[in-house]
Amino acid sequence: MVKFSRLVLLLTVTVSFPVISSPPIITVSKKQFGDKWIFKREEVMLECRTNGALLVINPSTLMQYPLNSIAAEQMKKREIIASPLSTILLKPADLSQQKIDITPILKTAQNLCKN
């Protein structure tokens, strides 16, 4: 009878743990974005954290890069380990272009937060 009681207790404890969901992450590629691709790599991962921080992740090194101001602030405060986004951005082909348009990638990452 004692063995049965321990089994019931064990099952109760095991079943009562909540399921923790991970933040949404997707892989995007140069093939999807064509001329609007802004990264040195052919593929990157995009992540939306629960606080709205958007990150680009290099799949081969798992290094993170902030995509929005929330993530950039976390990097500055050393709340996350990350490198500046400029590290993985392509250099503009036309040197008169000073900025790279991250809007298409940013919108894709923001859509992850809606799920």
Side-chain angles (χ1 to χ4, degrees):
M1 194 70 149
V2 173
K3 288 182 181 179
F4 180 72
S5 297
R6 287 182 185 166
L7 179 62
V8 171
L9 178 62
L10 180 61
L11 288 174
T12 305
V13 172
T14 304
V15 176
S16 64
F17 286 113
V19 175
I20 300 171
S21 64
S22 61
I25 297 176
I26 61 166
T27 300
V28 293
S29 69
K30 183 177 182 176
K31 185 177 179 180
Q32 291 172 266
F33 287 86
D35 293 340
K36 296 181 184 195
W37 189 247
I38 59 173
F39 301 109
K40 293 176 184 176
R41 296 193 42 83
E42 295 288 319
E43 277 188 348
V44 296
M45 296 184 297
L46 303 177
E47 177 182 19
C48 174
R49 301 255 171 105
T50 54
N51 60 2
L54 301 175
L55 296 160
V56 176
I57 302 169
N58 178 337
S60 64
T61 63
L62 299 181
M63 188 62 195
Q64 304 177 110
Y65 306 90
L67 192 55
N68 66 358
S69 59
I70 298 168
E73 189 62 31
Q74 288 179 345
M75 181 182 74
K76 287 178 190 172
K77 291 180 178 179
R78 298 180 185 232
E79 294 173 1
I80 60 171
I81 298 172
S83 291
L85 183 64
S86 60
T87 307
I88 60 166
L89 292 179
L90 287 171
K91 303 286 183 231
D94 179 6
L95 295 178
S96 65
Q97 260 187 319
Q98 295 298 321
K99 274 193 148 185
I100 292 177
D101 183 15
I102 68 166
T103 307
I105 297 293
L106 187 61
K107 286 182 179 179
T108 302
Q110 287 170 335
N111 285 335
L112 288 173
C113 295
K114 294 176 183 176
N115 295 336

